Amino acid sequence: MEETSVHEIDFTLINEFFTELERQGPGSAQESIRALGFINHLTSNAKIADLGCGTGYQTFVLAQNTEASITALDLSTSSIDKLNKKAVHLGLQNRVKGIVGSMDSLPFQKEEFDLIWSEGAIANIGFEKGLNYWKDFLKKDAYIAITYESWFTQERPMEIEKWWKDAVPEINTIGHNVSIMQKTGYIPVATFILPETCWTDHYFVPQKARQVEFLKKHAGNKTAEDMIAFLRREEDLYAKYKQYYGYVFYIGKKL
Ligand SMILES: C[S@@+](CC[C@H](N)C(=O)[O-])C[C@H]1O[C@@H](n2cnc3c(N)ncnc32)[C@H](O)[C@@H]1O
């Protein structure tokens, strides 16, 4: 049987599924705070952009652990609506603003930001392209902190190689990605692998009940059923091959 490719998944459906969850990708507050620990000077004058923010789980971690103002950007209108409502609810609306937009066409000034943050989203425009394009929006000596799917080993079993090459054709090893960072004009400050719990406890487990409810709502809808089958396969493959890949935090400083 032919497997569904990530590129065949309907954006509206995936968006409907994920906006009801706290996170839309692997990660955790603890690991975002760990990455923040490598970055200096995020005082009340500092500006952060969070690109591909989803409903803003990590945006609020940044808001609660720095004094900076944060602009959070995502293609999904429903995610941004949710983020802005949460900002009001938490009394952070003066420092956190969500805007709808695409991360490859940013509505910002050159050298506007002290930090560009992006968890689980840069693959949508490409690692090298994103690093190159986003650099212009950073001040000199400002930071970038992103998580990105990466290989841990030089060789991988064919099944998992094929899956990831389809999802993220540019996927590569940590060493290669660090060299891309260097090539695109950043000093590599730190890299670390997100622990397994970022995938299991914070990504796969919260999906379980949502998948059941979603299938009930979309009963008989083949596109929705294929999408849930894809997400379940993603979890099975992770359990089988997690020693070969994962998300890596890449932290760099603009030269
Ligand atoms: C895997 S989710 C990660 C969301 C969030 N950062 C997190 O870690 O929970 C990827 C996000 O990127 C957004 N996205 C995809 N393509 C985009 C683009 N071209 N510009 C802005 N956001 C985009 C999606 O709408 C989605 O919210």
Side-chain angles (χ1 to χ4, degrees):
M1 193 185 78
E2 266 299 297
E3 266 183 357
T4 304
S5 159
V6 69
H7 309 290
E8 288 158 3
I9 294 179
D10 182 82
F11 185 75
T12 312
L13 277 179
I14 195 104
N15 201 36
E16 180 192 330
F17 178 82
F18 273 111
T19 44
E20 291 306 311
L21 295 172
E22 255 197 336
R23 296 199 62 101
Q24 289 76 47
S28 73
Q30 199 181 338
E31 300 312 310
S32 301
I33 292 169
R34 189 171 160 200
L36 257 184
F38 293 98
I39 297 161
N40 305 321
H41 309 308
L42 295 169
T43 55
S44 55
N45 296 325
K47 290 176 85 175
I48 303 175
D50 181 8
L51 306 180
C53 58
T55 57
Y57 183 87
Q58 71 294 313
T59 317
F60 293 102
V61 173
L62 295 174
Q64 284 157 343
N65 289 276
T66 71
E67 294 171 19
S69 297
I70 306 169
T71 306
L73 175 140
D74 201 282
L75 266 188
S76 156
T77 307
S78 53
S79 294
I80 293 297
D81 284 349
K82 239 183 146 170
L83 185 150
N84 282 328
K85 284 197 182 109
K86 190 168 170 187
V88 172
H89 180 71
L90 296 174
L92 286 167
Q93 70 275 20
N94 296 331
R95 281 206 295 127
V96 175
K97 185 171 172 234
I99 59 171
V100 176
S102 184
M103 54 185 148
D104 57 3
S105 176
L106 296 174
F108 303 138
Q109 312 271 326
K110 301 271 152 144
E111 306 206 346
E112 184 173 342
F113 291 98
D114 299 275
L115 170 63
I116 289 182
W117 195 272
S118 182
E119 292 194 29
I122 195 169
N124 289 297
I125 63 164
F127 186 71
E128 183 163 354
K129 181 180 165 187
L131 286 178
N132 251 323
Y133 175 57
W134 297 351
K135 196 178 54 186
D136 283 355
F137 300 95
L138 286 173
K139 294 174 187 163
K140 185 177 176 315
D141 293 332
Y143 288 85
I144 190 153
I146 53 187
T147 65
Y148 181 52
E149 302 88 335
S150 311
W151 295 127
F152 298 161
T153 57
Q154 209 59 37
E155 305 285 329
R156 283 82 43 181
M158 180 84 89
E159 187 179 29
I160 196 63
E161 177 102 24
K162 191 169 166 285
W163 167 273
W164 276 108
K165 283 272 177 199
D166 176 55
V168 180
E170 233 190 336
I171 187 169
N172 216 308
T173 58
I174 299 171
H176 176 87
N177 294 335
V178 169
S179 77
I180 297 288
M181 238 183 162
Q182 192 110 47
K183 184 176 117 183
T184 49
Y186 301 88
I187 298 170
V189 172
T191 63
F192 62 88
I193 293 173
L194 294 190
E196 273 174 51
T197 49
C198 286
W199 290 78
T200 51
D201 299 358
H202 300 285
Y203 182 60
F204 294 132
V205 171
Q207 284 187 44
K208 302 254 188 235
R210 178 82 185 121
Q211 288 174 358
V212 173
E213 153 194 294
F214 196 81
L215 283 175
K216 217 186 230 172
K217 179 178 171 201
H218 293 282
N221 177 339
K222 167 102 171 53
T223 317
E225 285 165 2
D226 285 350
M227 184 189 97
I228 299 300
F230 174 90
L231 292 171
R232 288 175 172 167
R233 174 113 172 98
E234 183 183 34
E235 180 176 2
D236 291 346
L237 287 172
Y238 184 73
K240 194 169 169 191
Y241 294 118
K242 62 190 172 195
Q243 71 269 39
Y244 296 101
Y245 69 95
Y247 269 98
V248 173
F249 239 118
Y250 295 90
I251 299 136
K253 189 173 180 181
K254 180 178 166 177
L255 277 171

